[in-house]
Amino acid sequence: MYNKENRLIKLYKKAWNIIGESTPLEYDCGKLCDKKCCCGTETDGMLLFPGEELLYQSMENSWYNIKESNIILPGGYKISYLVCNGTCPRECRPLSCRIYPVIPYINESGRVEFRPDIRSLGTCPIIFDSEKHAISEAFIDKLYLSFSSLLKEKAVIEFIEVLTYQYDETAALLEKLIP
């Protein structure tokens, strides 16, 4: 188990490093909305990818709490989420924060692609005005590169399948509400 944990820690650190300080726009997208995605309550949080919680075991936790979500993957892995107090050491942000407002999605061909996360419609100006605020191709390229090793992990694929299902369900609901 120790070797698998070490491997996952290395994979997530590598992914975090590849993304680095990149944001979806050519400039700090937090300036666009006054960091709206970092403003929440004690029950708001970002889902952690499977095994990503291991990176927080050795960190001082005055800025976050890790809670269990209601998501259990087919392989039995329980997904957690990280709740922060609205300010965090930027280098410690979880992967979901680093890629926001984009999510990995498994397309009809069974390949992972990155799509704007429609669940962020109420929060992110990039999503509700995508013509004015186009997501940088360089950012998307970094996402593909950062996920290349993670996609070898079965639990990560299972988690992306859950995200894909949630995306499709949300899109179907939106189509009914806004034809």
Side-chain angles (χ1 to χ4, degrees), residues 137-150:
E137 286 183 38
F139 178 72
I140 297 298
D141 289 344
K142 283 189 177 190
L143 297 186
Y144 279 108
L145 186 58
S146 67
F147 272 77
S148 62
S149 296
L150 292 172

Side-chain angles (χ1 to χ4, degrees), residues 7-8 18 21 29 31 36 39 43 53 55 67-68 72 89 98 108 111 115 127-129 151 153 156:
R7 188 173 50 52
L8 286 171
I18 290 169
E21 293 299 314
C29 62
K31 293 178 180 176
K36 202 174 193 179
C39 301
T43 58
E53 68 279 357
L55 280 88
K67 300 183 177 188
E68 282 191 22
I72 301 173
R98 293 167 193 267
E108 308 78 36
R111 302 191 76 145
R115 293 187 174 187
I127 300 303
F128 62 78
D129 196 355
L151 293 175
E153 295 295 321
V156 171

Side-chain angles (χ1 to χ4, degrees), residues 3 7 17 26 35 55 96 109 129 140 150 160 162 174:
N3 287 336
R7 188 173 50 52
N17 286 332
E26 296 296 333
K35 299 180 183 179
L55 280 88
S96 290
S109 302
D129 196 355
I140 297 298
L150 292 172
I160 295 172
V162 169
L174 286 173

Side-chain angles (χ1 to χ4, degrees), residues 12-13 47 70 79 141:
Y12 283 109
K13 283 185 178 183
L47 293 171
N70 60 355
I79 296 296
D141 289 344

Side-chain angles (χ1 to χ4, degrees), residues 71-90:
I71 300 172
I72 301 173
L73 301 178
Y77 193 93
K78 292 181 182 179
I79 296 296
S80 300
Y81 64 100
L82 185 138
V83 178
C84 75
N85 63 12
T87 56
C88 67
R90 197 154 168 81

